[in-house]
Amino acid sequence: MERTAYCGNLRITNVGESVTLLGWIANKRNLGSLVFIDLRDASGYVQLIAKNPDILPEIKNESVVQVRGVVSKKDVPNPSLPTGEIEVEITSMTLLSKAALTPFIIADKSDALEETRLKYRYLDLRRPCMLHNLRVRSKIVSLWHRYFEAHDFLEVETPILNLATPEGARDYLVPSRLHHGSFYALPQSPQLWKQLLMIAGVERYFQVARCFRDEDLRADRQPEFTQLDEEVSFMDQEEILTLNEGFLALLFKEIKGIDISLPLRRMPYWEAMDVYGSDKPDTRYGLHLIDLKDVFAGVEFDGFQGAYIRGIVVPGSAKSTSRKAVDELNMEARKFRLKGVMTLKLENGVLGGSFAKFLNEEQKAKVISSLSLKEDDLLLFAASPDRRAVDFGMGAIRTLEAKKLNLIDPNTFDLLWVVDFPMFDPIPGEEGKYTAEHHPFTRPRDEDLHLLDSNPEEVLAYAYDIVINGYECGGGTLRIYDHDTQWKIFNLLGLSDEDVARKFGWFIDAFQYGVPPHGGMAYGLDRLVMIFTGTDNIRDVIAFPKNLQAVDPTSKAPARVSKEQLDAVGITLIEGDEHEEE
RNA sequence: GGACCAUUGGUGUAGCGGCCCAACAUGCUUCCCUGUCACGGAAGAGAUCACGAGUUCGAAUCUCGUAUGGUCCGCCA
């Protein structure tokens, strides 16, 4: 179609040009014999002016029009728009498609609820801020390709229809028509395939990989999501981190214009847990967790028996933290298997709070001096024999207090690697049983291999997560490349020899034929876009996301299918599961 | 599987036992307007307050249940 310019690109230098524009009518201001129209296309807005409104067709908001006109300088510029110095004097306008009244106003400052926006996602995406999010997403993927191609990585597509894996998240299953009773699974990640590519000698692989997990959703979790996936042979952990720091630096430079300083900080897992109460710490603010074992030495309190005791000092918050506020903190603490959070407050020089009655004067003085408590300081702490519970619980409270005190500057970016993850995570309540902290293909550190049999909990792994502003944006590991070690890890995770042979034989057999030492990582693309667009809702960075019930709000998928479709794949729904008539 | 919160004209909110067959903003319709840019001004249309039961002389308002949506825990190797 005839189109000589894009709305958002017109500038003062274009004054005098005749242009033909295509776009949507975003808004109109009718002054009687003078009409202003904001025209929007994918590039942005420009103001149109009709000095003779009789020539205009019927102009409903969001109708699509073709406009011919002349760019002219505005008497009074509008500095809030990039095109604010000019306007286009309409010589003719053709209505291409008339719009019905939209359910909500198409503008960045829309007041519609997310539910409404998602139902009419195609209208929601017309809002420039949403289009911007899609642009940032596209830019990240583009930089991903640019960077890893420059480092000789090869993009390889891996299968979408896979063997169901017994470990990990629940699989999305796909029934097979040719093999009644058999099912494929959608990939949770291309993990095994990319390791086979290393064994195949590809050496450097990368892929934009769609992944699927049939688990419950969250504000930052979707059932289908995109990983920027990479795997490389013959690199050690430091080499992989350095390679990826180059990519991260490129992202921040190209998207934000920020030079991040390299190398990034590497923080051991247990430091992150004990000091920040998280394996994805937000280090933009303090409120560090303090070990209180020594401070409370000699205090008679049942809950301290064999317990880890950790707390945070919240400055200037003793008076402002009400009973109700403490109740809310207790609610939060209980989410992490803690009984609650205890308080000490220094008010008017006297130590009060819920725990004060367990302390004698001498002990109170010790608490004040050893923590250097100042007037109006609040000490929040918890105790539990479960180290992770104390750390995660106080970490959650640290985050709440930081938000309350407004300690987080949203315009700063804070990047670090969390390294030295434990190989295994004990299953609470089941002595001697473990799950893999990362995944079963993770390579234990060489210096810890001797602990595998005696003390598996102490084995650390070659595993690393990239954490930005408290979000885990990616992670990876070096992989086991020895057949016997891989087998042994499966055994430690509770799989019998028969289980391993049956479920992973097709994979582990490959380890007999010469395996390069290899490792890799994957970024959560959706999380990266969230960081770069400053949103905390994953649905804002995906064009057509699912809602929390894993339903597509636009099409209402999933839905029942016809009996014919079920028959073709040999599936009968169980009784009582009423089947709606088609 | 569990906890908590929400649901009121097209949209977003207020109202939290009688001042409410419901208020405000915005959108919509009609009219006026030559410099607006969140244009302004005037008039108007538009809601059985998610659904079902209950408490009460009286329910948008209280209780219970259901549905839908959101946030979190479990879960997410």
Side-chain angles (χ1 to χ4, degrees):
Chain A
M1 292 183 74
E2 183 190 337
R3 177 189 224 177
T4 64
Y6 287 86
C7 298
N9 297 343
L10 293 173
R11 292 294 181 275
I12 192 84
T13 52
N14 299 108
V15 167
E17 292 176 18
S18 291
V19 292
T20 304
L21 301 170
L22 293 163
W24 287 259
I25 291 174
N27 197 11
K28 53 192 185 286
R29 292 172 291 279
N30 188 343
L31 279 65
S33 57
L34 185 64
V35 175
F36 295 100
I37 294 168
D38 296 330
L39 189 70
R40 184 193 67 239
D41 64 18
S43 66
Y45 296 100
V46 71
Q47 174 167 286
L48 311 177
I49 177 169
K51 293 186 171 171
N52 178 12
D54 297 339
I55 64 167
L56 294 179
E58 184 185 18
I59 43 170
K60 298 276 186 189
N61 280 351
E62 296 306 320
S63 293
V64 179
V65 293
Q66 183 174 49
V67 178
R68 292 189 179 81
V70 179
V71 180
S72 65
K73 185 174 182 294
K74 271 183 176 180
D75 296 338
V76 184
N78 177 2
S80 62
L81 276 180
T83 59
E85 287 185 285
I86 55 99
E87 61 195 359
V88 174
E89 285 191 38
I90 300 170
T91 50
S92 73
M93 176 185 277
T94 309
L95 179 65
L96 299 176
S97 171
K98 181 181 163 185
L101 179 60
T102 56
F104 54 91
I105 299 161
I106 312 299
D108 280 356
K109 290 177 77 175
S110 169
D111 56 0
L113 287 184
E114 194 185 20
E115 192 178 349
T116 314
R117 289 170 41 208
L118 287 174
K119 184 175 176 188
Y120 303 95
R121 188 58 152 183
Y122 43 88
L123 297 178
D124 189 39
L125 292 175
R126 286 185 187 176
R127 298 161 59 221
C129 60
M130 294 302 291
L131 190 57
H132 173 257
N133 290 354
L134 295 184
R135 283 220 171 83
V136 169
R137 189 182 179 102
S138 174
K139 180 80 179 173
I140 291 172
V141 173
S142 163
L143 292 168
W144 165 256
H145 278 109
R146 188 206 293 182
Y147 184 83
F148 283 91
E149 275 165 15
H151 285 81
D152 294 322
F153 279 66
L154 183 70
E155 181 158 24
V156 182
E157 292 162 83
T158 52
I160 293 295
L161 298 176
N162 290 278
L163 184 69
T165 52
E167 309 297 313
R170 277 184 281 264
D171 285 314
Y172 274 100
L173 295 175
V174 180
S176 164
R177 179 180 57 82
L178 296 176
H179 306 275
H180 279 194
S182 290
F183 293 82
Y184 300 100
L186 302 182
Q188 297 180 24
S189 96
Q191 181 65 32
L192 302 182
W193 297 118
K194 67 178 180 172
Q195 289 194 242
L196 292 182
L197 287 172
M198 293 303 102
I199 297 173
V202 167
E203 293 206 27
R204 295 180 174 214
Y205 142 95
F206 76 139
Q207 182 185 194
V208 179
R210 191 70 68 87
C211 304
F212 306 85
R213 291 179 188 172
D214 189 7
E215 296 292 347
D216 287 357
L217 289 78
R218 289 287 189 283
D220 61 353
R221 218 159 74 192
Q222 284 275 303
E224 61 176 303
F225 58 99
T226 307
Q227 283 189 348
L228 303 178
D229 193 44
E230 62 186 80
E231 193 78 4
V232 62
S233 297
F234 307 119
M235 276 195 185
D236 61 26
Q237 176 167 319
E238 268 307 308
E239 288 170 314
I240 291 177
L241 298 194
T242 303
L243 172 76
N244 280 280
E245 284 175 347
F247 170 60
L248 289 163
L250 180 68
L251 283 188
F252 276 89
K253 184 68 185 173
E254 292 284 321
I255 296 173
K256 286 285 175 186
I258 294 171
D259 289 303
I260 59 172
S261 67
L262 299 179
L264 301 176
R265 176 177 179 188
R266 279 105 165 108
M267 184 185 291
Y269 170 85
W270 280 115
E271 180 186 336
M273 288 292 285
D274 287 346
V275 178
Y276 296 93
S278 172
D279 57 0
K280 41 182 198 286
D282 190 337
T283 55
R284 287 175 295 177
Y285 56 92
L287 293 182
H288 295 168
L289 273 59
I290 305 162
D291 192 325
L292 300 170
K293 196 114 188 166
D294 293 337
V295 176
F296 288 131
V299 174
E300 305 247 344
F301 181 67
D302 288 347
F304 285 175
Q305 292 298 319
Y308 293 90
I309 314 165
R310 266 187 258 283
I312 55 173
V313 174
V314 190
S317 293
K319 293 187 177 71
S320 58
T321 302
S322 62
R323 176 71 185 273
K324 191 180 164 202
V326 174
D327 284 345
E328 282 168 12
L329 294 175
N330 273 316
M331 293 257 293
E332 188 72 11
R334 284 190 203 105
K335 289 179 186 170
F336 296 90
R337 288 177 284 136
L338 295 175
K339 288 208 172 71
V341 61
M342 294 168 275
T343 61
L344 285 172
K345 300 174 169 183
L346 191 61
E347 289 182 275
N348 306 319
V350 179
L351 198 63
S354 70
F355 197 69
K357 61 185 176 216
F358 296 102
L359 301 175
N360 61 34
E361 289 309 313
E362 192 186 329
Q363 288 163 336
K364 285 181 183 172
K366 183 180 172 189
V367 169
I368 294 169
S369 66
S370 56
L371 296 175
S372 310
L373 291 185
K374 294 179 193 62
E375 176 64 18
D376 201 28
D377 279 358
L378 167 71
L379 174 67
L380 298 166
F381 66 100
S384 165
D386 184 339
R387 183 174 177 182
R388 284 177 171 86
V390 176
D391 283 343
F392 278 130
M394 287 312 302
I397 284 168
R398 171 179 178 263
T399 306
L400 283 182
E401 290 299 308
K403 279 180 187 156
K404 242 182 254 176
L405 294 175
N406 222 0
L407 293 179
I408 304 169
D409 177 356
N411 296 313
T412 60
F413 293 95
D414 170 74
L415 293 85
L416 66 127
W417 295 104
V418 175
V419 298
D420 296 342
F421 280 79
M423 183 72 201
F424 301 103
D425 208 359
I427 299 173
E430 291 189 59
E431 193 70 22
K433 293 218 173 173
Y434 304 97
T435 58
E437 174 83 29
H438 207 98
H439 59 51
F441 316 106
T442 302
R443 185 173 144 206
R445 294 200 309 183
D446 293 335
E447 58 265 45
D448 296 336
L449 279 174
H450 68 282
L451 295 167
L452 269 181
D453 294 309
S454 57
N455 232 335
E457 283 186 45
E458 287 181 19
V459 176
L460 301 182
Y462 296 113
Y464 34 85
D465 280 353
I466 181 69
V467 176
I468 307 177
N469 293 356
Y471 277 98
E472 183 204 321
C473 290
T477 66
L478 298 190
R479 326 297 187 193
I480 296 165
Y481 62 97
D482 175 69
H483 177 276
D484 295 347
T485 308
Q486 182 65 73
W487 199 287
K488 182 171 189 166
I489 296 292
F490 278 131
N491 287 156
L492 275 166
L493 292 170
L495 272 74
S496 68
D497 285 348
E498 300 81 64
D499 287 340
V500 177
R502 196 177 72 249
K503 294 168 178 169
F504 290 104
W506 62 279
F507 173 68
I508 209 167
D509 282 353
F511 283 65
Q512 306 169 92
Y513 299 108
V515 183
H518 62 288
M521 74 178 274
Y523 295 90
L525 174 61
D526 310 291
R527 298 256 173 97
L528 282 179
V529 186
M530 288 168 72
I531 292 286
F532 282 103
T533 57
T535 178
D536 52 11
N537 182 344
I538 196 171
R539 295 179 293 269
D540 283 343
V541 300
I542 296 175
F544 299 105
K546 306 285 186 285
N547 70 14
L548 275 192
Q549 279 62 243
V551 169
D552 169 45
T554 306
S555 75
K556 302 296 183 205
R560 292 179 176 276
V561 296
S562 70
K563 186 167 184 310
E564 288 71 25
Q565 283 176 291
L566 288 177
D567 287 346
V569 293
I571 288 181
T572 311
L573 297 179
I574 34 182
E575 289 294 319
D577 206 6
E578 78 285 1
H579 190 270
E580 285 169 27
E581 292 304 315
E582 296 301 321

